[in-house]
PDB file of all heavy atoms in Angstrom:
ATOM      1  N   GLU A   1       0.816  -1.229   0.005  1.00  0.00           N
ATOM      2  CA  GLU A   1       0.031   0.007  -0.027  1.00  0.00           C
ATOM      3  C   GLU A   1       0.849   1.180   0.008  1.00  0.00           C
ATOM      4  O   GLU A   1       0.514   2.200  -0.664  1.00  0.00           O
ATOM      5  CB  GLU A   1      -0.908  -0.073   1.246  1.00  0.00           C
ATOM      6  CG  GLU A   1      -2.011   0.967   1.177  1.00  0.00           C
ATOM      7  CD  GLU A   1      -3.026   0.661   2.362  1.00  0.00           C
ATOM      8  OE1 GLU A   1      -2.574   0.498   3.486  1.00  0.00           O
ATOM      9  OE2 GLU A   1      -4.245   0.642   2.015  1.00  0.00           O
ATOM     10  N   ASN A   2       1.886   1.261   0.731  1.00  0.00           N
ATOM     11  CA  ASN A   2       2.713   2.482   0.889  1.00  0.00           C
ATOM     12  C   ASN A   2       3.990   2.435   0.030  1.00  0.00           C
ATOM     13  O   ASN A   2       4.880   3.242   0.148  1.00  0.00           O
ATOM     14  CB  ASN A   2       3.130   2.674   2.303  1.00  0.00           C
ATOM     15  CG  ASN A   2       1.833   2.973   3.198  1.00  0.00           C
ATOM     16  OD1 ASN A   2       0.928   3.592   2.740  1.00  0.00           O
ATOM     17  ND2 ASN A   2       1.899   2.531   4.400  1.00  0.00           N
ATOM     18  N   LYS A   3       4.017   1.504  -0.873  1.00  0.00           N
ATOM     19  CA  LYS A   3       5.225   1.325  -1.737  1.00  0.00           C
ATOM     20  C   LYS A   3       5.053   2.164  -2.993  1.00  0.00           C
ATOM     21  O   LYS A   3       3.965   2.252  -3.558  1.00  0.00           O
ATOM     22  CB  LYS A   3       5.436  -0.172  -2.109  1.00  0.00           C
ATOM     23  CG  LYS A   3       5.669  -1.067  -0.971  1.00  0.00           C
ATOM     24  CD  LYS A   3       7.063  -0.969  -0.524  1.00  0.00           C
ATOM     25  CE  LYS A   3       7.178  -2.014   0.511  1.00  0.00           C
ATOM     26  NZ  LYS A   3       8.512  -2.082   1.111  1.00  0.00           N
ATOM     27  N   GLU A   4       6.163   2.779  -3.457  1.00  0.00           N
ATOM     28  CA  GLU A   4       6.104   3.532  -4.709  1.00  0.00           C
ATOM     29  C   GLU A   4       6.915   2.755  -5.692  1.00  0.00           C
ATOM     30  O   GLU A   4       8.005   2.308  -5.388  1.00  0.00           O
ATOM     31  CB  GLU A   4       6.694   4.915  -4.534  1.00  0.00           C
ATOM     32  CG  GLU A   4       5.773   5.901  -3.781  1.00  0.00           C
ATOM     33  CD  GLU A   4       6.377   7.340  -3.782  1.00  0.00           C
ATOM     34  OE1 GLU A   4       7.177   7.621  -4.705  1.00  0.00           O
ATOM     35  OE2 GLU A   4       6.008   8.010  -2.912  1.00  0.00           O
ATOM     36  N   VAL A   5       6.360   2.663  -6.874  1.00  0.00           N
ATOM     37  CA  VAL A   5       7.146   2.002  -7.946  1.00  0.00           C
ATOM     38  C   VAL A   5       7.584   3.108  -8.938  1.00  0.00           C
ATOM     39  O   VAL A   5       6.699   3.824  -9.544  1.00  0.00           O
ATOM     40  CB  VAL A   5       6.232   0.980  -8.681  1.00  0.00           C
ATOM     41  CG1 VAL A   5       6.978   0.302  -9.802  1.00  0.00           C
ATOM     42  CG2 VAL A   5       5.777  -0.040  -7.685  1.00  0.00           C
ATOM     43  N   LYS A   6       8.766   3.165  -9.166  1.00  0.00           N
ATOM     44  CA  LYS A   6       9.326   4.239 -10.066  1.00  0.00           C
ATOM     45  C   LYS A   6       9.746   3.498 -11.314  1.00  0.00           C
ATOM     46  O   LYS A   6      10.477   2.536 -11.357  1.00  0.00           O
ATOM     47  CB  LYS A   6      10.655   4.954  -9.422  1.00  0.00           C
ATOM     48  CG  LYS A   6      10.231   5.715  -8.254  1.00  0.00           C
ATOM     49  CD  LYS A   6      11.504   6.520  -7.781  1.00  0.00           C
ATOM     50  CE  LYS A   6      11.072   7.402  -6.634  1.00  0.00           C
ATOM     51  NZ  LYS A   6      12.213   8.200  -6.158  1.00  0.00           N
ATOM     52  N   ALA A   7       9.276   4.040 -12.412  1.00  0.00           N
ATOM     53  CA  ALA A   7       9.672   3.554 -13.721  1.00  0.00           C
ATOM     54  C   ALA A   7      10.187   4.754 -14.501  1.00  0.00           C
ATOM     55  O   ALA A   7       9.456   5.665 -14.834  1.00  0.00           O
ATOM     56  CB  ALA A   7       8.454   2.930 -14.337  1.00  0.00           C
ATOM     57  N   GLU A   8      11.448   4.638 -14.788  1.00  0.00           N
ATOM     58  CA  GLU A   8      12.061   5.765 -15.587  1.00  0.00           C
ATOM     59  C   GLU A   8      12.597   5.198 -16.888  1.00  0.00           C
ATOM     60  O   GLU A   8      13.040   4.091 -16.961  1.00  0.00           O
ATOM     61  CB  GLU A   8      13.240   6.306 -14.804  1.00  0.00           C
ATOM     62  CG  GLU A   8      12.748   7.204 -13.624  1.00  0.00           C
ATOM     63  CD  GLU A   8      13.853   7.970 -12.961  1.00  0.00           C
ATOM     64  OE1 GLU A   8      14.829   8.275 -13.714  1.00  0.00           O
ATOM     65  OE2 GLU A   8      13.750   8.272 -11.782  1.00  0.00           O
ATOM     66  N   LEU A   9      12.440   5.986 -17.907  1.00  0.00           N
ATOM     67  CA  LEU A   9      12.935   5.535 -19.241  1.00  0.00           C
ATOM     68  C   LEU A   9      14.296   6.158 -19.483  1.00  0.00           C
ATOM     69  O   LEU A   9      14.574   7.318 -19.021  1.00  0.00           O
ATOM     70  CB  LEU A   9      11.958   6.041 -20.343  1.00  0.00           C
ATOM     71  CG  LEU A   9      10.585   5.420 -20.335  1.00  0.00           C
ATOM     72  CD1 LEU A   9       9.668   6.110 -21.308  1.00  0.00           C
ATOM     73  CD2 LEU A   9      10.578   3.906 -20.600  1.00  0.00           C
ATOM     74  N   SER A  10      15.098   5.426 -20.179  1.00  0.00           N
ATOM     75  CA  SER A  10      16.415   5.971 -20.462  1.00  0.00           C
ATOM     76  C   SER A  10      16.199   7.041 -21.596  1.00  0.00           C
ATOM     77  O   SER A  10      15.246   7.131 -22.194  1.00  0.00           O
ATOM     78  CB  SER A  10      17.342   4.931 -21.006  1.00  0.00           C
ATOM     79  OG  SER A  10      16.928   4.389 -22.198  1.00  0.00           O
ATOM     80  N   VAL A  11      17.157   7.871 -21.729  1.00  0.00           N
ATOM     81  CA  VAL A  11      17.245   8.931 -22.826  1.00  0.00           C
ATOM     82  C   VAL A  11      17.061   8.362 -24.222  1.00  0.00           C
ATOM     83  O   VAL A  11      16.287   8.904 -24.983  1.00  0.00           O
ATOM     84  CB  VAL A  11      18.498   9.779 -22.743  1.00  0.00           C
ATOM     85  CG1 VAL A  11      18.557  10.824 -23.807  1.00  0.00           C
ATOM     86  CG2 VAL A  11      18.672  10.422 -21.388  1.00  0.00           C
ATOM     87  N   ASP A  12      17.668   7.178 -24.507  1.00  0.00           N
ATOM     88  CA  ASP A  12      17.465   6.516 -25.758  1.00  0.00           C
ATOM     89  C   ASP A  12      15.993   6.102 -25.933  1.00  0.00           C
ATOM     90  O   ASP A  12      15.472   6.234 -27.091  1.00  0.00           O
ATOM     91  CB  ASP A  12      18.384   5.321 -25.881  1.00  0.00           C
ATOM     92  CG  ASP A  12      19.879   5.671 -25.937  1.00  0.00           C
ATOM     93  OD1 ASP A  12      20.108   6.893 -26.327  1.00  0.00           O
ATOM     94  OD2 ASP A  12      20.711   4.821 -25.645  1.00  0.00           O
ATOM     95  N   ASP A  13      15.398   5.557 -24.864  1.00  0.00           N
ATOM     96  CA  ASP A  13      14.060   5.080 -25.023  1.00  0.00           C
ATOM     97  C   ASP A  13      13.117   6.327 -25.214  1.00  0.00           C
ATOM     98  O   ASP A  13      12.184   6.293 -26.095  1.00  0.00           O
ATOM     99  CB  ASP A  13      13.551   4.377 -23.785  1.00  0.00           C
ATOM    100  CG  ASP A  13      14.352   3.033 -23.639  1.00  0.00           C
ATOM    101  OD1 ASP A  13      14.745   2.546 -24.656  1.00  0.00           O
ATOM    102  OD2 ASP A  13      14.388   2.512 -22.422  1.00  0.00           O
ATOM    103  N   LYS A  14      13.371   7.404 -24.561  1.00  0.00           N
ATOM    104  CA  LYS A  14      12.565   8.594 -24.789  1.00  0.00           C
ATOM    105  C   LYS A  14      12.641   9.156 -26.174  1.00  0.00           C
ATOM    106  O   LYS A  14      11.670   9.491 -26.855  1.00  0.00           O
ATOM    107  CB  LYS A  14      12.933   9.710 -23.737  1.00  0.00           C
ATOM    108  CG  LYS A  14      12.537   9.442 -22.309  1.00  0.00           C
ATOM    109  CD  LYS A  14      13.047  10.543 -21.421  1.00  0.00           C
ATOM    110  CE  LYS A  14      12.668  10.259 -19.921  1.00  0.00           C
ATOM    111  NZ  LYS A  14      13.118  11.208 -19.006  1.00  0.00           N
ATOM    112  N   ASN A  15      13.949   9.190 -26.668  1.00  0.00           N
ATOM    113  CA  ASN A  15      14.185   9.603 -27.999  1.00  0.00           C
ATOM    114  C   ASN A  15      13.509   8.714 -29.042  1.00  0.00           C
ATOM    115  O   ASN A  15      12.921   9.170 -30.070  1.00  0.00           O
ATOM    116  CB  ASN A  15      15.735   9.785 -28.312  1.00  0.00           C
ATOM    117  CG  ASN A  15      16.307  10.950 -27.523  1.00  0.00           C
ATOM    118  OD1 ASN A  15      15.649  11.841 -27.169  1.00  0.00           O
ATOM    119  ND2 ASN A  15      17.638  10.795 -27.377  1.00  0.00           N
ATOM    120  N   SER A  16      13.564   7.458 -28.736  1.00  0.00           N
ATOM    121  CA  SER A  16      12.907   6.434 -29.647  1.00  0.00           C
ATOM    122  C   SER A  16      11.400   6.705 -29.659  1.00  0.00           C
ATOM    123  O   SER A  16      10.782   6.600 -30.789  1.00  0.00           O
ATOM    124  CB  SER A  16      13.218   5.024 -29.130  1.00  0.00           C
ATOM    125  OG  SER A  16      12.644   4.085 -29.942  1.00  0.00           O
ATOM    126  N   ILE A  17      10.743   6.975 -28.555  1.00  0.00           N
ATOM    127  CA  ILE A  17       9.358   7.147 -28.505  1.00  0.00           C
ATOM    128  C   ILE A  17       8.965   8.543 -29.192  1.00  0.00           C
ATOM    129  O   ILE A  17       8.004   8.543 -29.959  1.00  0.00           O
ATOM    130  CB  ILE A  17       8.888   7.199 -27.039  1.00  0.00           C
ATOM    131  CG1 ILE A  17       8.985   5.779 -26.409  1.00  0.00           C
ATOM    132  CG2 ILE A  17       7.459   7.758 -26.883  1.00  0.00           C
ATOM    133  CD1 ILE A  17       8.662   5.753 -24.896  1.00  0.00           C
ATOM    134  N   LEU A  18       9.820   9.518 -29.018  1.00  0.00           N
ATOM    135  CA  LEU A  18       9.538  10.807 -29.761  1.00  0.00           C
ATOM    136  C   LEU A  18       9.634  10.545 -31.249  1.00  0.00           C
ATOM    137  O   LEU A  18       8.869  11.113 -31.997  1.00  0.00           O
ATOM    138  CB  LEU A  18      10.472  11.889 -29.263  1.00  0.00           C
ATOM    139  CG  LEU A  18      10.204  12.333 -27.860  1.00  0.00           C
ATOM    140  CD1 LEU A  18      11.318  13.378 -27.394  1.00  0.00           C
ATOM    141  CD2 LEU A  18       8.838  13.074 -27.691  1.00  0.00           C
ATOM    142  N   SER A  19      10.643   9.910 -31.624  1.00  0.00           N
ATOM    143  CA  SER A  19      10.838   9.603 -33.126  1.00  0.00           C
ATOM    144  C   SER A  19       9.678   8.792 -33.639  1.00  0.00           C
ATOM    145  O   SER A  19       9.176   9.052 -34.754  1.00  0.00           O
ATOM    146  CB  SER A  19      12.098   8.797 -33.286  1.00  0.00           C
ATOM    147  OG  SER A  19      12.309   8.350 -34.557  1.00  0.00           O
ATOM    148  N   LEU A  20       9.193   7.780 -32.869  1.00  0.00           N
ATOM    149  CA  LEU A  20       8.024   6.984 -33.304  1.00  0.00           C
ATOM    150  C   LEU A  20       6.859   7.893 -33.428  1.00  0.00           C
ATOM    151  O   LEU A  20       6.045   7.756 -34.344  1.00  0.00           O
ATOM    152  CB  LEU A  20       7.859   5.879 -32.377  1.00  0.00           C
ATOM    153  CG  LEU A  20       6.628   4.985 -32.677  1.00  0.00           C
ATOM    154  CD1 LEU A  20       6.851   4.301 -33.976  1.00  0.00           C
ATOM    155  CD2 LEU A  20       6.489   3.960 -31.481  1.00  0.00           C
ATOM    156  N   GLU A  21       6.570   8.859 -32.478  1.00  0.00           N
ATOM    157  CA  GLU A  21       5.534   9.717 -32.514  1.00  0.00           C
ATOM    158  C   GLU A  21       5.548  10.613 -33.714  1.00  0.00           C
ATOM    159  O   GLU A  21       4.567  10.766 -34.398  1.00  0.00           O
ATOM    160  CB  GLU A  21       5.538  10.636 -31.216  1.00  0.00           C
ATOM    161  CG  GLU A  21       4.275  11.466 -31.065  1.00  0.00           C
ATOM    162  CD  GLU A  21       4.369  12.260 -29.779  1.00  0.00           C
ATOM    163  OE1 GLU A  21       4.938  11.830 -28.797  1.00  0.00           O
ATOM    164  OE2 GLU A  21       3.814  13.395 -29.767  1.00  0.00           O
ATOM    165  N   LYS A  22       6.763  11.144 -34.149  1.00  0.00           N
ATOM    166  CA  LYS A  22       6.864  11.914 -35.359  1.00  0.00           C
ATOM    167  C   LYS A  22       6.532  11.160 -36.576  1.00  0.00           C
ATOM    168  O   LYS A  22       5.871  11.603 -37.519  1.00  0.00           O
ATOM    169  CB  LYS A  22       8.315  12.511 -35.415  1.00  0.00           C
ATOM    170  CG  LYS A  22       8.550  13.599 -34.434  1.00  0.00           C
ATOM    171  CD  LYS A  22      10.060  14.109 -34.495  1.00  0.00           C
ATOM    172  CE  LYS A  22      10.320  15.044 -33.421  1.00  0.00           C
ATOM    173  NZ  LYS A  22      11.738  15.478 -33.400  1.00  0.00           N
ATOM    174  N   ARG A  23       7.024   9.869 -36.615  1.00  0.00           N
ATOM    175  CA  ARG A  23       6.780   9.034 -37.683  1.00  0.00           C
ATOM    176  C   ARG A  23       5.261   8.719 -37.921  1.00  0.00           C
ATOM    177  O   ARG A  23       4.712   8.664 -38.965  1.00  0.00           O
ATOM    178  CB  ARG A  23       7.510   7.717 -37.599  1.00  0.00           C
ATOM    179  CG  ARG A  23       8.996   7.870 -37.957  1.00  0.00           C
ATOM    180  CD  ARG A  23       9.665   6.502 -38.032  1.00  0.00           C
ATOM    181  NE  ARG A  23      10.967   6.565 -37.550  1.00  0.00           N
ATOM    182  CZ  ARG A  23      11.581   5.706 -36.775  1.00  0.00           C
ATOM    183  NH1 ARG A  23      10.957   4.640 -36.473  1.00  0.00           N
ATOM    184  NH2 ARG A  23      12.825   5.867 -36.418  1.00  0.00           N
ATOM    185  N   LEU A  24       4.561   8.519 -36.796  1.00  0.00           N
ATOM    186  CA  LEU A  24       3.171   8.275 -36.807  1.00  0.00           C
ATOM    187  C   LEU A  24       2.369   9.498 -37.304  1.00  0.00           C
ATOM    188  O   LEU A  24       1.510   9.298 -38.091  1.00  0.00           O
ATOM    189  CB  LEU A  24       2.638   7.858 -35.440  1.00  0.00           C
ATOM    190  CG  LEU A  24       3.002   6.474 -34.964  1.00  0.00           C
ATOM    191  CD1 LEU A  24       2.522   6.173 -33.491  1.00  0.00           C
ATOM    192  CD2 LEU A  24       2.322   5.460 -35.842  1.00  0.00           C
ATOM    193  N   LYS A  25       2.836  10.671 -36.967  1.00  0.00           N
ATOM    194  CA  LYS A  25       2.166  11.893 -37.484  1.00  0.00           C
ATOM    195  C   LYS A  25       2.352  11.978 -38.966  1.00  0.00           C
ATOM    196  O   LYS A  25       1.422  12.295 -39.747  1.00  0.00           O
ATOM    197  CB  LYS A  25       2.722  13.146 -36.750  1.00  0.00           C
ATOM    198  CG  LYS A  25       2.241  13.370 -35.382  1.00  0.00           C
ATOM    199  CD  LYS A  25       2.795  14.582 -34.746  1.00  0.00           C
ATOM    200  CE  LYS A  25       2.293  14.774 -33.313  1.00  0.00           C
ATOM    201  NZ  LYS A  25       2.903  15.822 -32.651  1.00  0.00           N
ATOM    202  N   LEU A  26       3.578  11.712 -39.372  1.00  0.00           N
ATOM    203  CA  LEU A  26       3.899  11.743 -40.890  1.00  0.00           C
ATOM    204  C   LEU A  26       3.034  10.674 -41.549  1.00  0.00           C
ATOM    205  O   LEU A  26       2.479  10.923 -42.652  1.00  0.00           O
ATOM    206  CB  LEU A  26       5.412  11.582 -41.050  1.00  0.00           C
ATOM    207  CG  LEU A  26       5.841  11.457 -42.493  1.00  0.00           C
ATOM    208  CD1 LEU A  26       5.676  12.834 -43.151  1.00  0.00           C
ATOM    209  CD2 LEU A  26       7.347  11.101 -42.597  1.00  0.00           C
ATOM    210  N   PHE A  27       3.061   9.505 -40.967  1.00  0.00           N
ATOM    211  CA  PHE A  27       2.107   8.458 -41.528  1.00  0.00           C
ATOM    212  C   PHE A  27       0.712   8.808 -41.645  1.00  0.00           C
ATOM    213  O   PHE A  27       0.103   8.525 -42.686  1.00  0.00           O
ATOM    214  CB  PHE A  27       2.272   7.126 -40.636  1.00  0.00           C
ATOM    215  CG  PHE A  27       1.527   6.001 -41.197  1.00  0.00           C
ATOM    216  CD1 PHE A  27       1.944   5.298 -42.305  1.00  0.00           C
ATOM    217  CD2 PHE A  27       0.401   5.553 -40.553  1.00  0.00           C
ATOM    218  CE1 PHE A  27       1.195   4.242 -42.813  1.00  0.00           C
ATOM    219  CE2 PHE A  27      -0.284   4.502 -40.961  1.00  0.00           C
ATOM    220  CZ  PHE A  27       0.111   3.894 -42.107  1.00  0.00           C
ATOM    221  N   ASN A  28       0.176   9.479 -40.649  1.00  0.00           N
ATOM    222  CA  ASN A  28      -1.262   9.909 -40.694  1.00  0.00           C
ATOM    223  C   ASN A  28      -1.390  10.934 -41.835  1.00  0.00           C
ATOM    224  O   ASN A  28      -2.416  10.857 -42.565  1.00  0.00           O
ATOM    225  CB  ASN A  28      -1.713  10.555 -39.356  1.00  0.00           C
ATOM    226  CG  ASN A  28      -1.878   9.513 -38.249  1.00  0.00           C
ATOM    227  OD1 ASN A  28      -2.030   8.422 -38.535  1.00  0.00           O
ATOM    228  ND2 ASN A  28      -1.885  10.004 -37.078  1.00  0.00           N
ATOM    229  N   TRP A  29      -0.490  11.858 -41.947  1.00  0.00           N
ATOM    230  CA  TRP A  29      -0.620  12.834 -43.033  1.00  0.00           C
ATOM    231  C   TRP A  29      -0.411  12.143 -44.391  1.00  0.00           C
ATOM    232  O   TRP A  29      -1.069  12.586 -45.391  1.00  0.00           O
ATOM    233  CB  TRP A  29       0.425  14.017 -42.900  1.00  0.00           C
ATOM    234  CG  TRP A  29       0.020  14.978 -41.908  1.00  0.00           C
ATOM    235  CD1 TRP A  29       0.594  15.125 -40.638  1.00  0.00           C
ATOM    236  CD2 TRP A  29      -1.082  15.817 -41.892  1.00  0.00           C
ATOM    237  NE1 TRP A  29      -0.065  16.063 -39.884  1.00  0.00           N
ATOM    238  CE2 TRP A  29      -1.085  16.528 -40.766  1.00  0.00           C
ATOM    239  CE3 TRP A  29      -2.007  16.176 -42.880  1.00  0.00           C
ATOM    240  CZ2 TRP A  29      -2.097  17.555 -40.446  1.00  0.00           C
ATOM    241  CZ3 TRP A  29      -2.946  17.190 -42.656  1.00  0.00           C
ATOM    242  CH2 TRP A  29      -2.978  17.816 -41.496  1.00  0.00           C
ATOM    243  N   SER A  30       0.415  11.133 -44.481  1.00  0.00           N
ATOM    244  CA  SER A  30       0.569  10.370 -45.715  1.00  0.00           C
ATOM    245  C   SER A  30      -0.750   9.692 -46.097  1.00  0.00           C
ATOM    246  O   SER A  30      -1.104   9.728 -47.276  1.00  0.00           O
ATOM    247  CB  SER A  30       1.687   9.366 -45.517  1.00  0.00           C
ATOM    248  OG  SER A  30       2.909   9.962 -45.318  1.00  0.00           O
ATOM    249  N   ILE A  31      -1.420   9.161 -45.143  1.00  0.00           N
ATOM    250  CA  ILE A  31      -2.735   8.468 -45.406  1.00  0.00           C
ATOM    251  C   ILE A  31      -3.675   9.486 -46.021  1.00  0.00           C
ATOM    252  O   ILE A  31      -4.368   9.253 -46.960  1.00  0.00           O
ATOM    253  CB  ILE A  31      -3.179   7.782 -44.136  1.00  0.00           C
ATOM    254  CG1 ILE A  31      -2.376   6.593 -43.874  1.00  0.00           C
ATOM    255  CG2 ILE A  31      -4.719   7.375 -44.339  1.00  0.00           C
ATOM    256  CD1 ILE A  31      -2.729   5.803 -42.619  1.00  0.00           C
TER     257      ILE A  31
END
């Protein structure tokens, strides 16, 4: 109940997610 779970992403993972988000936006516009 009183435990906190911390989940942090590495910088590479964050950059990968941002890159994927940009590609998805481009893909949507392509469609």
Side-chain angles (χ1 to χ4, degrees):
E1 195 172 46
N2 296 326
K3 300 278 183 183
E4 286 185 25
V5 177
K6 291 185 179 181
E8 289 189 24
L9 296 173
S10 68
V11 174
D12 291 338
D13 292 338
K14 288 179 184 177
N15 290 337
S16 177
I17 290 172
L18 290 174
S19 173
L20 179 62
E21 187 178 328
K22 288 177 185 176
R23 284 190 214 141
L24 286 175
K25 285 181 182 177
L26 180 64
F27 179 73
N28 285 342
W29 283 108
S30 298
I31 288 177

